[in-house]
């Protein structure tokens, strides 16, 4: 019996949590597990608490049942499961509820995961939390709506099967999920590629003003708080910008800094293979994966950037690579 089935054994009232600023993999894994339990263990009560669900993910079954994070403190059931979160603080307001729960389980794929649950099931090599979750479920018991959520999560965290975290196993699982008759092209277009006009304009603004650094090996995109106000943009309107920056020819590291509040910057980092951006982000109190990571920093942007560039360019070995010398 696997760690999930064991945790579920004596649990009748279950809460599912994901990380703040939930992405497709986070929402997908929470809704997939909710659906799976509803389909196969209908006597159990399962509630999902998330900070938000993006408009592009509202088509997923159960998205309309997601409860706001503020209500998590009312939960006094048997089991809390964290999906796609690398550390307790990533659960936001739900962190305190999770910490005090009778039974906790962490299911994740971040190599920086701090194993903050009583039980922890972390596969740092898996493409997505949805892939890790799939391995814990009985394939034959996966319904079409559950498969849809798992497939969506995998699509999002692999950038539609493009990123190097996409393995042979990822494709096998995607194939198994497709066999339920999913409208895969629609899922990919509507939830991943489709952008609103505002999102397209924000992307154009950031890409248009992007700054090349470190001998054209590091590309920086910035969206200031003032620009966000002027354009009427929220954090949801910046999806995909970092992936666009990463694709610029010759770039080894792409950086996107979004000023969510005055002097509070959310950094997204992407590497094309030579720099471990997870190590860099961990230094700044964040985390993630070797090739995709992030953190939040407060202060003057230029000061943070100086420190960040020093870290990325550090040739001390820990961060591996000095783009200027290679
Ligand atoms: P993104 O740049 O898309 O926000 O995040 C890329 C990856 O880094 C995701 O796997 C995400 O969970 C992780 N990540 C982003 N920001 C943070 C952060 O502030 N702390 C931690 N621990 N991980 C982060
Ligand atoms: Mn993920």
């Amino acid at each position: 019996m696997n760690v999930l089935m064991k945790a579920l054994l004596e649990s009748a009232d279950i809460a599912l949590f994901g990380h703040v600023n939930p992405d497709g993999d986070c929402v997908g894994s929470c809704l997939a597990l909710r659906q799976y339990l509803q389909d196969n263990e209908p006597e159990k009560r399962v509630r999902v608490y998330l900070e938000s669900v993006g408009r592009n993910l509202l088509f997923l079954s159960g998205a309309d049942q997601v409860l706001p994070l503020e209500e998590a403190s009312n939960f006094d059931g048997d089991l809390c499961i964290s999906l796609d979160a690398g550390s307790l603080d990533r659960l936001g307001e739900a962190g305190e509820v999770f910490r005090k729960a009778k039974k906790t389980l962490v299911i994740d794929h971040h190599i920086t995961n701090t194993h903050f649950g009583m039980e922890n099931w972390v596969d740092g090599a898996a493409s997505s939390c949805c892939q890790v979750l799939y391995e814990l479920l009985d394939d034959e018991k996966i319904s079409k709506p559950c498969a849809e959520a798992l497939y969506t999560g995998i699509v999002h965290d692999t950038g539609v099967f493009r990123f190097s975290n996409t393995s042979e196993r990822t494709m096998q699982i995607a194939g198994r999920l497709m066999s339920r008759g999913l409208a895969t092209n629609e899922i990919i277009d509507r939830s991943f590629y489709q952008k609103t006009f505002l999102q397209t304009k924000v992307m154009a603004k950031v890409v248009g003003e992007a700054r090349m650094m470190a001998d054209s090996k590091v590309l920086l995109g910035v969206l200031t708080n003032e620009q966000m106000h002027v354009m009427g943009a929220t954090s949801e309107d910046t999806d995909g910008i970092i992936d666009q920056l990463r694709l610029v020819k010759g770039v080894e590291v792409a950086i996107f800094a979004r000023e969510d509040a005055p002097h509070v910057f959310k950094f997204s980092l992407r590497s094309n293979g030579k720099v471990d951006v997870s190590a860099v982000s961990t230094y700044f109190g964040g985390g993630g994966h070797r090739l995709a990571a992030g953190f939040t920093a407060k202060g003057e942007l230029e000061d943070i950037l100086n420190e960040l560039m020093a870290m990325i360019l550090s040739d001390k070995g820990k961060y591996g690579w000095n783009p200027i010398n290679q």
Side-chain angles (χ1 to χ4, degrees):
M1 192 182 298
N2 71 44
V3 66
L4 173 61
M5 297 309 150
K6 221 179 274 175
L8 291 169
L9 263 188
E10 282 164 28
S11 306
D13 195 358
I14 301 153
L16 308 182
F17 300 138
H19 60 77
V20 288
N21 218 340
D23 55 14
D25 185 33
C26 177
V27 176
S29 51
C30 287
L31 293 181
L33 182 52
R34 174 188 184 273
Q35 187 68 44
Y36 185 88
L37 294 173
Q38 213 169 53
D39 293 336
N40 300 293
E41 313 214 23
E43 70 290 351
K44 292 192 197 300
R45 177 169 190 190
V46 186
R47 280 167 289 184
V48 179
Y49 298 91
L50 288 172
E51 192 179 51
S52 58
V53 178
R55 283 167 299 203
N56 56 332
L57 299 167
L58 287 174
F59 72 97
L60 292 174
S61 171
D64 55 340
Q65 306 285 310
V66 171
L67 298 166
L69 216 47
E70 306 86 67
E71 284 182 28
S73 54
N74 301 331
F75 178 78
D76 63 348
D78 313 307
L79 169 67
C80 287
I81 302 179
S82 164
L83 293 136
D84 201 33
S87 52
L88 189 68
D89 61 300
R90 294 279 291 157
L91 295 181
E93 273 185 65
E96 199 51 22
V97 185
F98 189 90
R99 202 176 58 76
K100 291 183 180 153
K102 295 178 199 121
K103 244 195 310 182
T104 59
L105 169 63
V106 165
I107 299 175
D108 188 32
H109 72 123
H110 291 93
I111 44 164
T112 52
N113 192 291
T114 57
H115 292 241
F116 56 98
M118 291 170 194
E119 296 286 343
N120 300 277
W121 193 256
V122 180
D123 178 0
S127 67
S128 51
C129 187
C130 281
Q131 179 169 343
V132 180
L133 177 60
Y134 171 89
E135 303 285 16
L136 294 171
L137 306 178
D138 183 347
D139 180 279
E140 287 175 10
K141 293 184 181 170
I142 295 177
S143 64
K144 186 175 174 182
C146 176
E148 195 164 54
L150 290 171
Y151 184 86
T152 302
I154 293 174
V155 159
H156 280 241
D157 258 25
T158 59
V160 193
F161 310 110
R162 278 179 307 150
F163 302 155
S164 60
N165 59 3
T166 311
S167 64
E168 184 180 347
R169 182 67 185 146
T170 312
M171 301 311 283
Q172 282 167 349
I173 294 170
R176 292 293 309 152
L177 298 172
M178 275 178 87
S179 73
R180 272 77 182 179
L182 306 186
T184 51
N185 56 334
E186 250 177 67
I187 293 176
I188 291 170
D189 261 3
R190 287 221 199 129
S191 78
F192 191 85
Y193 285 115
Q194 200 175 68
K195 301 263 175 269
T196 62
F197 189 41
L198 177 58
Q199 283 171 326
T200 309
K201 293 216 292 199
V202 173
M203 165 118 47
K205 176 120 196 126
V206 175
V207 174
E209 292 176 2
R211 217 197 302 168
M212 246 339 162
M213 297 183 298
D215 204 18
S216 298
K217 295 283 172 49
V218 177
L219 182 57
L220 168 73
V222 177
L223 186 65
T224 65
N225 196 249
E226 196 189 336
Q227 287 171 325
M228 287 177 83
H229 277 299
V230 170
M231 299 186 87
T234 65
S235 59
E236 213 180 305
D237 297 312
T238 62
D239 281 359
I241 291 178
I242 185 64
D243 298 309
Q244 195 61 45
L245 296 173
R246 182 189 69 86
L247 284 175
V248 174
K249 200 167 175 190
V251 164
E252 286 297 344
V253 176
I255 304 169
F256 174 50
R258 187 186 67 213
E259 192 179 13
D260 283 339
H263 297 105
V264 179
F265 293 90
K266 166 77 181 80
F267 277 85
S268 284
L269 270 62
R270 297 292 184 271
S271 165
N272 277 322
K274 290 183 177 164
V275 174
D276 179 351
V277 290
S278 145
V280 174
S281 296
T282 304
Y283 170 85
F284 287 93
H289 313 281
R290 215 166 52 79
L291 304 181
F295 62 90
T296 298
K298 291 181 186 156
E300 292 297 330
L301 180 61
E302 290 306 318
D303 294 342
I304 304 165
L305 283 175
N306 284 339
E307 207 177 343
L308 175 58
M309 288 306 289
M311 264 308 146
I312 291 173
L313 303 184
S314 157
D315 56 1
K316 294 192 181 80
K318 187 168 181 196
Y319 306 110
W321 175 75
N322 181 336
I324 286 178
N325 292 340
Q326 285 196 10

